[in-house]
Amino acid sequence: MENRKLNPKYDVIIIGAGPVGIYTSIRLAKEGLGVLVIEEDLEIGKPRFCTGLISKEAFDKFSLPKEAIENEFYSAWVFSPLGSKVCLNSKKIKVYVTDRTRFDFGLYNRALDAGVKFLLNCFCRGIVLNNDYVQADIIFEGEPRTVRSEVVILSTGIKYHLHRNLGFAPPANFLDCSQIQLSGKAGEDIEIFLGNSVAPHSFAWLVPLKKEKLRIGISTRKDSPLFLKSFLNYLESKGYIGAEKADVIRRPIPLEPIKKTYNHRVLVVGDAAGQVKPTTGGGVYFGLLCADLAVQTVMKSFKEKDFSEKSLRHYEINWKKTIEFDLTMSIYLRKLLANFNDGQIEELVKFLSQKAVQQLIEKHADFNHHGRFIKELIKFPPFWKSFYQILATK
Ligand SMILES: Cc1cc2nc3c(=O)[nH]c(=O)nc-3n(C[C@H](O)[C@H](O)[C@H](O)COP(=O)(O)OP(=O)(O)OC[C@H]3O[C@@H](n4cnc5c(N)ncnc54)[C@H](O)[C@@H]3O)c2cc1C
């Protein structure tokens, strides 16, 4: 149960109880720090906006809550708007679809067990950086209050008003996403639909859950609800779904990291830092990976009693070392694919169907680190010939 008594000062205050904030809190509490998490929503993990695709590799690496797993996949089908399709699979890659409410709640229970203090239904409206402490100005039980700590971690997801308050710029680029969950029946694999009239600049997806439920979503540059509506009409015409109505959840995904993720006594992690795979928009894996690096830096700063900008900058050096290559390669790839016409998409899907490319995927594809695969693809001799042919396609 939530205990309403607050300490005068915590070691670390974390703003935002999404998966990244909660995971960070568990790690810090297990290291022996006093951690307060502030969350503006009343309930953890609600509303469920995310598709919840997370690799088995991530589950193993971060010991994630398995009770949230709803289904598992080894393959994804990609459909071109002009009729071709390709199955992407690799025996090494296993992906789970999770119920993000249960996922976040599973992490929350672990954080409570580790001694983390949560304030739910509590909005942080400002952060004041002082020489000797950080102060969070919060609204709790309708009253303005302040809480203090040595360090603050911003894991506020796609809400960026505290960034402005602290001089951090928000991400420069976003995708507009809409998602719905309906009864229906499709194949056994994840399905991805490309095409300029389907999901311009991005893609639509269909993920089968158990018990004949489907999670259906779309990402575009703008107007995602309109594109979702016509995608649902298409799925209905194919007999995948009926005429059932359900709530559509719309939400942006940041596509590029923010310019600076540290300051005196502050670190920024997860979607708040734009640590998201630019190819798919998945953010849980990179967020957790960077959370581990944030914990490393924070623990060092406590050991050395040095919370200066200079000390905390090691977090950014480390996360860039870990994911900047993937981010850069994936941003280039996304920019290139976003401008493909339907003919080029058709040729790309045919290229991916070639036996040699399928073997390359089997050998080098990685669900989380796309940069490595893109590098192998560029080194692959037949790539450039096909690439120029694709670029020339009208
Ligand atoms: C349609 C869609 C599908 C997606 N599918 C996938 C997927 O399949 N796989 C994947 O890996 N990723 C996916 N993502 C991305 C994924 O959901 C995010 O990367 C992930 O939720 C980021 O976690 P986070 O903890 O950084 O932020 P969030 O989960 O956004 O949590 C941030 C929390 O901070 C709180 N908060 C913000 N500001 C304040 C404040 N001032 N005071 C108090 N609390 C505050 C918010 O209420 C929120 O609870 C998807 C996203 C969308 C939109």
Side-chain angles (χ1 to χ4, degrees):
M1 273 311 279
E2 212 186 322
N3 160 7
R4 301 198 168 302
K5 204 164 155 285
L6 288 178
N7 293 345
K9 192 172 175 191
Y10 291 85
D11 292 321
V12 181
I13 294 176
I14 295 177
I15 318 289
V20 176
I22 306 177
Y23 175 81
T24 312
S25 78
I26 299 170
R27 290 280 333 267
L28 290 171
K30 286 191 172 167
E31 294 283 348
L33 297 188
V35 186
L36 172 70
V37 179
I38 290 170
E39 169 56 51
E40 70 174 305
D41 290 341
L42 185 60
E43 290 178 272
I44 296 288
K46 289 189 181 171
R48 184 182 51 212
F49 58 85
C50 176
T51 313
L53 291 170
I54 299 170
S55 63
K56 177 180 182 296
E57 183 199 345
F59 265 80
D60 295 344
K61 187 175 177 70
F62 305 110
S63 299
L64 299 174
K66 291 211 166 108
E67 66 273 19
I69 296 173
E70 296 179 285
N71 205 352
E72 60 183 49
F73 307 96
Y74 288 94
S75 313
W77 282 94
V78 179
F79 295 87
S80 150
L82 300 185
S84 292
K85 59 180 183 178
V86 59
C87 182
L88 304 179
N89 61 9
S90 159
K91 286 186 201 80
K92 295 184 307 230
I93 301 177
K94 184 173 180 178
V95 178
Y96 297 124
V97 60
T98 59
D99 176 335
R100 267 290 306 274
T101 302
R102 292 191 78 186
F103 183 86
D104 291 15
F105 205 75
L107 288 172
Y108 172 66
N109 279 328
R110 289 181 192 182
L112 290 176
D113 288 346
V116 175
K117 163 93 181 164
F118 281 82
L119 286 185
L120 303 184
N121 200 14
C122 174
F123 178 65
C124 177
R125 57 180 182 167
I127 305 277
V128 183
L129 302 180
N130 290 293
N131 277 344
D132 303 331
Y133 60 90
V134 195
Q135 179 174 299
D137 293 336
I138 59 174
I139 305 285
F140 185 52
E141 298 181 328
E143 297 289 324
R145 293 181 65 172
T146 58
V147 264
R148 291 179 179 183
S149 62
E150 296 290 0
V151 174
V152 157
I153 295 181
L154 291 191
S155 50
T156 50
I158 48 143
K159 305 225 173 123
Y160 299 101
H161 76 277
L162 293 174
H163 289 53
R164 290 182 195 103
N165 168 222
L166 290 166
F168 296 118
N173 251 319
F174 290 89
L175 275 177
D176 177 15
C177 305
S178 287
Q179 187 173 263
I180 193 166
Q181 187 166 311
L182 294 171
S183 302
K185 203 161 167 26
E188 296 197 333
D189 301 313
I190 297 168
E191 296 185 18
I192 294 166
F193 298 81
L194 305 173
N196 283 295
S197 55
V198 184
H201 310 294
S202 199
F203 60 91
W205 63 91
L206 187 157
V207 178
L209 311 173
K210 294 267 161 71
K211 297 187 188 148
E212 305 208 342
K213 290 268 175 205
L214 302 174
R215 203 162 284 154
I216 302 164
I218 204 146
S219 56
T220 59
R221 248 182 224 158
K222 57 180 186 172
D223 298 329
S224 66
L226 286 179
F227 285 102
L228 180 64
K229 201 166 167 226
S230 69
F231 184 53
L232 293 176
N233 288 339
Y234 166 77
L235 294 178
E236 198 180 331
S237 73
K238 289 267 171 199
Y240 279 33
I241 54 171
E244 181 191 355
K245 298 271 174 275
D247 288 340
V248 171
I249 294 196
R250 183 183 191 184
R251 199 179 140 107
I253 289 184
L255 274 185
E256 287 179 27
I258 64 172
K259 293 236 156 28
K260 192 176 172 200
T261 53
Y262 65 95
N263 204 337
H264 169 67
R265 294 184 182 272
V266 189
L267 295 180
V268 193
V269 212
D271 272 22
Q275 290 157 338
V276 172
K277 286 182 272 184
T279 32
T280 61
V284 174
Y285 178 81
F286 277 179
L288 300 181
L289 203 59
C290 294
D292 273 344
L293 300 171
V295 168
Q296 216 179 70
T297 300
V298 168
M299 291 318 299
K300 187 163 176 283
S301 70
F302 269 90
K303 206 166 153 206
E304 293 168 0
K305 295 195 174 22
D306 179 0
F307 307 105
S308 65
E309 189 172 356
K310 192 168 166 220
S311 158
L312 294 183
R313 114 194 128 97
H314 289 286
Y315 159 63
E316 186 166 295
I317 293 171
N318 289 337
W319 78 249
K320 285 193 169 169
K321 249 190 229 158
T322 313
I323 62 168
E324 196 175 37
F325 175 71
D326 288 306
L327 292 178
T328 310
M329 298 294 272
S330 305
I331 288 169
Y332 279 131
L333 184 69
R334 167 167 277 283
K335 283 186 177 157
L336 179 78
L337 298 184
N339 293 313
F340 270 20
N341 61 41
D342 285 355
Q344 290 171 321
I345 294 171
E346 173 76 2
E347 291 309 311
L348 176 71
V349 169
K350 284 184 185 158
F351 168 71
L352 292 173
S353 313
Q354 289 174 21
K355 199 169 169 213
V357 185
Q358 292 275 312
Q359 283 167 347
L360 194 80
I361 293 171
E362 172 64 45
K363 196 160 170 210
H364 295 289
D366 185 316
F367 186 76
N368 298 309
H369 295 278
H370 297 167
R372 291 176 200 165
F373 178 70
I374 299 168
K375 190 174 152 200
E376 292 302 324
L377 193 62
I378 291 170
K379 285 188 336 202
F380 178 59
F383 169 75
W384 288 105
K385 187 167 164 248
S386 304
F387 181 66
Y388 289 122
Q389 276 168 3
I390 292 171
L391 285 189
T393 307
K394 295 269 185 286

